[in-house]
């Protein structure tokens, strides 16, 4: 089953090209270590939330943009082996000295794929989401994701991926748990929707919101879900 390493970071808007190049330069190394895909998506439609949102999750300043990114691996064993190689590889250490963002506020974690609908290909826009789900609701959440993913694909989404937190560390300043105010009996989930274009995404969401099949009770607290729209700048 696919294993996902998810990241959210705040990047100075002026550093967009430097960040894109930094990620693009790292992509071949991640592939060498076993990653099957690297995606970096630049914040485009990031709403403010009443309780939680992507900006507060990484303490983004007014001149910073939220970036939603992930690495895909064949399984957790490959991901764990890749992490060990990254820690000792001199190329990664050198890149770590010139990051065009504040790495102390980056949030990250490892997630096991729980549900996937559709297939990758031709992605030009991404909806990213993070939520806290009661750990006892894992099966109910999987069913919820499969149901909603099928509807999303019917209305234009190319691929919908939902993943369950397995290695979500605590951070000193920021982390995924604090981002969604997760309690001790909740698990952080990391999800995204790939769209062929922003136009298809906007039209698709109008159809999705009007579809009566979407009116199912959520097995988690939707008030603490954080979400936003992102434009990919690297898809390797």
């Amino acid at each position: 089953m696919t294993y996902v390493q998810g990241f959210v970071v705040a990047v100075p808007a002026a550093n967009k090209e430097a960040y894109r190049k930094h990620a693009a330069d790292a992509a071949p190394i991640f592939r060498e270590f076993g990653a099957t895909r690297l995606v970096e998506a630049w914040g485009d439609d990031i709403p403010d939330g009443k309780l939680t949102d992507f900006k507060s999750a990484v303490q983004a300043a007014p001149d910073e943009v939220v970036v939603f990114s992930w690495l895909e691996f064949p399984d957790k064993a490959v991901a764990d082996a890749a992490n060990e190689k990254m820690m000792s590889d001199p190329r990664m250490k050198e890149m770590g000295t010139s990051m065009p963002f504040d790495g102390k506020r980056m949030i990250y974690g490892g997630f096991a794929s729980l549900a996937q609908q559709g297939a990758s290909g031709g992605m030009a826009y991404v909806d990213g989401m993070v939520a806290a789900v009661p750990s006892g609701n894992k099966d109910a959440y999987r069913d919820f994701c499969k149901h909603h993913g099928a509807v999303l694909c019917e209305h234009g989404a190319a691929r919908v991926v939902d993943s369950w937190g397995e290695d979500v560390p605590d951070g000193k300043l920021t982390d995924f748990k604090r981002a969604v105010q997760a309690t001790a009996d909740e698990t952080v989930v990391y999800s995204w929707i790939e769209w062929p274009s922003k136009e298809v995404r906007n039209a698709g969401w109008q159809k999705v919101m009007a579809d009566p099949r979407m009116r199912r009770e959520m097995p988690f607290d939707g008030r603490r879900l954080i979400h936003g729209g992102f434009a990919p700048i690297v898809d390797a």
Side-chain angles (χ1 to χ4, degrees), residues 13-215:
N15 289 358
K16 182 177 182 179
E17 176 54 26
Y19 183 85
R20 186 206 63 76
K21 185 178 185 305
H22 188 271
D25 289 345
I29 303 175
F30 289 129
R31 292 293 297 269
E32 178 185 324
F33 292 161
T36 58
R37 191 182 187 193
L38 163 68
V39 173
E40 300 279 352
W42 191 258
D44 174 70
D45 180 14
I46 313 296
D48 295 329
K50 292 183 178 180
L51 295 177
T52 56
D53 56 43
F54 270 119
K55 297 172 188 174
S56 62
V58 290
Q59 300 179 9
D63 64 343
E64 292 180 321
V65 176
V66 176
V67 174
F68 182 89
S69 61
W70 71 87
L71 285 163
E72 295 181 47
F73 292 90
D75 53 44
K76 188 176 187 297
V78 175
D80 289 343
N83 285 334
E84 290 187 12
K85 294 175 184 176
M86 291 176 201
M87 295 300 291
S88 60
D89 193 290
R91 295 169 297 177
M92 298 302 296
K93 289 183 179 180
E94 182 178 353
M95 294 184 73
T97 64
S98 59
M99 296 188 299
F101 61 94
D102 180 7
K104 297 188 298 293
R105 288 182 284 131
M106 178 180 73
I107 61 177
Y108 62 94
F111 304 82
S113 178
L114 192 66
Q116 292 195 47
Q117 307 285 329
S120 298
M123 177 184 67
Y125 204 79
V126 177
D127 275 308
M129 290 156 284
V130 181
V133 179
S135 300
N137 288 359
K138 184 176 182 178
D139 289 340
Y141 181 73
R142 180 190 290 111
D143 180 68
F144 176 87
C145 293
K146 288 181 177 179
H147 175 82
H148 282 68
V151 176
L152 283 158
C153 288
E154 185 178 321
H155 291 312
R159 183 186 185 213
V160 183
V161 177
D162 294 278
S163 54
W164 189 260
E166 286 199 354
D167 183 13
V168 182
D170 295 330
K172 292 183 178 180
L173 295 177
T174 55
D175 57 48
F176 271 118
K177 297 172 188 174
R178 276 183 275 193
V180 291
Q181 299 178 9
T183 60
D185 63 346
E186 292 180 322
T187 297
V188 176
V189 297
Y190 181 94
S191 310
W192 71 86
I193 307 167
E194 301 178 22
W195 299 93
S197 69
K198 185 177 180 180
E199 291 73 24
V200 172
R201 176 253 198 180
N202 290 344
W205 272 117
Q206 289 184 359
K207 297 173 184 176
V208 167
M209 297 304 293
D211 195 313
R213 292 173 294 174
M214 296 295 284
R215 296 170 194 158

